[in-house]
Amino acid sequence: MRYRSTRDATTFVPISQAIAAGLAPDGGLYVPESLPTIDPAAFDPHGRLADTAATLLAPFFAGDALADALPAICAEAFTFDAPLRALPAHPHSLLLELFHGPTSAFKDFGARFLAACLRRMPRQDQRPLTILVATSGDTGAAVAAAFHRQPGLRVVILYPDGRVSPRQAHQLGCFGDNVQALRVAGRFDDCQRMVKAALNDEALQADVPLSSANSISLGRLLPQMSYYAHAALGWWREHGTPLNFIVPTGNLGNAMACLWVRAMGLPVGEVELACNANATLPDYFAGADYAPREAVATIANAMDVGAPSNFERLRWTFPDEARLRQLLHARSVDDATIRQTIGRHAREHDEVVCPHTATAMHRLDQLRSAGNRLPWAVVATAHPAKFDSVVEPLIDRPVTLPAVLATMLGRSASAQVLAAEEQALRAWLLR
Ligand SMILES: *Cc1c(COP(=O)(O)O)cnc(C)c1O
């Protein structure tokens, strides 16, 4: 399988190169030459998530230097499960729990797979490679955990000071060793702009070799397909019907993975995007022109995205706009509704969800009220304990901490202050 930029159909690179680069040189996003299809019978019905991943991703790595290592990469990345759990409220309502990894959010799957790929790639340069990450919360911690103490690699995280949850901030600052957290006096967009400027700065790169780990990397997108395939295949074997998904959405990376699984011919039914007050996608799917805009801050902060970075990939996947609008729906949920949803599900069903997951839970409530009886899986993108400052006042009790999170919160944390200026990051990296 060969890969090209969404903006150039004439130049092709192998998957290793696309993963190492992240973004294509022309500013486009890497996509496969064509999406492969796969027979559900190709999967081992008794396989674990790592086995499903290795079978699913094999066609994407065919012919590449990493192809032989793919099963080992999957075994290393997928060391925890993504359980599909029935919700008590309705027999065909399910929760796909993606928060059982080391940093309690779904970003762990992609970050760990990317790290497992990068550490197998030969580098000519003997100097350490610095991985720059701009994060609105969960990505930075997942990348830090995945690359912590990896020889030859260093992680520098930029996050907007005061705009991530206190526990997210603690997670970002608690690794140490080869991981450094910088709290930027600005917004997420500032962090992203500073990282982009550094990556495009050739003079800086000559002194400090840099790479990135943002959500447009195929090394993060492809592994995210695995849990959708695993859940849908399991459901289909047992019930003989496709499984439908509601995906909390920001940059569209998680939902894109779900749509690619469906496009490969696996038993995924309808896909709904649940967004917070950032309504770029809901407006587009309601018929407006695509209009990226500045993000607004919400209590589902990891979805505070005004210009979803995977939109170009979505358009490549579905070139016919009218058809795309038929195939996919997106809805915006405001903070007040997120709060109500968290409170109500805790009271009525003893089910506590994070603010991101609550956007999808609300959509499920709407579908059920309208009489929809399809099997729906709400995608739970993070553990509610990461957002205790939002969740606990709504449910009047503490959220039990997952063991990994308790361990991290027990370590000391520190982050350096940085001005929201490109020059400040440059100087910091060269110091
Ligand atoms: C990143 C994130 C999202 C949004 O995922 P995208 O791939 O950017 O659409 C949703 N929920 C949580 C908890 C996240 O960390």
Side-chain angles (χ1 to χ4, degrees):
M1 178 68 74
R2 303 185 304 167
Y3 294 79
R4 48 161 277 215
S5 164
T6 42
R7 298 181 189 175
D8 173 9
T10 60
T11 314
F12 294 93
V13 300
I15 183 89
S16 291
Q17 195 178 324
I19 288 176
L23 199 66
D26 61 5
L29 276 59
Y30 281 115
V31 287
E33 196 171 7
S34 63
L35 274 179
T37 55
I38 192 162
D39 184 346
F43 293 86
D44 174 1
H46 305 292
R48 306 200 52 139
L49 181 58
D51 305 311
T52 301
T55 304
L56 179 76
L57 300 181
F60 290 92
F61 282 76
D64 188 79
L66 286 178
D68 289 344
L70 183 63
I73 291 171
C74 291
E76 209 171 288
F78 297 94
T79 49
F80 48 93
D81 286 330
L84 183 68
R85 189 165 63 73
L87 290 166
H90 188 282
H92 280 174
S93 296
L94 305 129
L95 200 67
L96 179 61
E97 294 183 348
L98 302 183
F99 51 68
H100 295 285
T103 68
S104 308
F106 84 89
K107 305 286 200 310
D108 284 322
F109 290 104
R112 290 173 62 86
F113 187 90
L114 177 66
C117 288
L118 288 183
R119 84 173 142 258
R120 286 172 171 83
M121 288 183 196
R123 284 184 67 224
Q124 261 96 58
D125 203 320
Q126 293 305 304
R127 293 170 301 173
L129 180 66
T130 299
I131 301 185
L132 285 179
V133 204
T135 184
S136 59
D138 292 326
T139 292
V143 171
F147 289 89
H148 188 214
R149 297 189 178 147
Q150 292 294 320
L153 295 165
R154 169 172 87 135
V155 175
V156 176
I157 304 163
L158 284 78
Y159 71 89
D161 200 6
R163 288 172 192 258
V164 304
S165 85
R167 281 187 178 165
Q168 282 178 315
H170 191 100
Q171 266 191 325
L172 294 169
C174 79
F175 285 93
D177 304 315
N178 63 332
V179 177
Q180 175 71 54
L182 301 173
R183 49 193 175 98
V184 174
R187 299 187 312 166
F188 172 63
D189 292 340
D190 296 312
C191 300
Q192 219 162 12
R193 175 175 49 78
M194 291 160 74
V195 166
K196 256 194 198 145
L199 290 169
N200 289 331
D201 185 337
E202 280 177 33
L204 173 64
Q205 288 249 27
D207 287 325
V208 186
L210 298 173
S211 180
S212 73
N214 64 20
S215 75
I216 46 91
S217 167
L218 280 178
R220 287 181 51 189
L221 186 68
L222 294 176
Q224 289 171 186
M225 297 167 67
S226 312
Y227 42 77
Y228 290 110
H230 195 71
L233 285 164
W235 179 266
W236 174 77
R237 283 183 204 113
E238 205 175 316
H239 302 270
T241 58
L243 186 57
N244 308 282
F245 292 93
I246 311 173
V247 189
T249 295
N251 270 318
L252 253 176
N254 202 4
M256 199 67 244
C258 184
L259 292 166
W260 278 10
V261 168
R262 180 169 76 180
M264 287 179 77
L266 295 182
V268 170
E270 293 183 33
V271 179
E272 289 252 355
L273 311 181
C275 300
N276 59 22
N278 290 280
T280 306
L281 291 169
D283 289 352
Y284 172 78
F285 281 99
D289 285 340
Y290 179 68
R293 58 199 78 158
E294 287 220 343
V296 297
T298 76
I299 56 170
N301 63 1
M303 289 155 51
D304 290 350
V305 176
S309 54
N310 279 290
F311 188 76
E312 238 177 274
R313 238 179 217 136
L314 184 74
R315 290 308 321 274
W316 169 84
T317 310
F318 303 101
D320 180 346
E321 199 157 37
R323 178 113 185 89
L324 169 59
R325 286 192 171 113
Q326 275 170 2
L327 281 173
L328 197 60
H329 302 101
R331 294 250 175 1
S332 177
V333 182
D334 62 19
D335 277 0
T337 309
I338 292 174
R339 287 202 171 90
Q340 277 164 14
T341 305
I342 293 171
R344 199 170 65 76
H345 279 268
R347 273 194 315 277
E348 294 177 8
H349 308 295
D350 198 23
E351 190 68 55
V352 181
V353 293
C354 89
H356 312 81
T357 307
T359 62
M361 206 64 141
H362 172 68
R363 181 64 192 136
L364 177 66
D365 291 342
Q366 283 184 323
L367 288 164
R368 293 295 181 226
S369 303
N372 185 302
R373 300 174 66 81
L374 292 175
W376 285 99
V378 163
V379 177
T381 48
H383 194 285
K386 269 188 114 159
F387 304 92
D388 60 313
S389 52
V390 172
V391 172
E392 288 180 355
L394 298 169
I395 64 170
D396 289 326
R397 60 184 156 96
V399 184
T400 312
L401 275 179
V404 282
L405 203 49
T407 307
M408 273 191 202
L409 294 173
R411 299 210 295 259
S412 67
S414 71
Q416 286 180 33
V417 181
L418 195 73
E421 284 155 21
E422 291 157 22
Q423 277 309 319
L425 178 60
R426 183 172 213 281
W428 189 90
L429 288 167
L430 285 170
R431 105 224 113 115

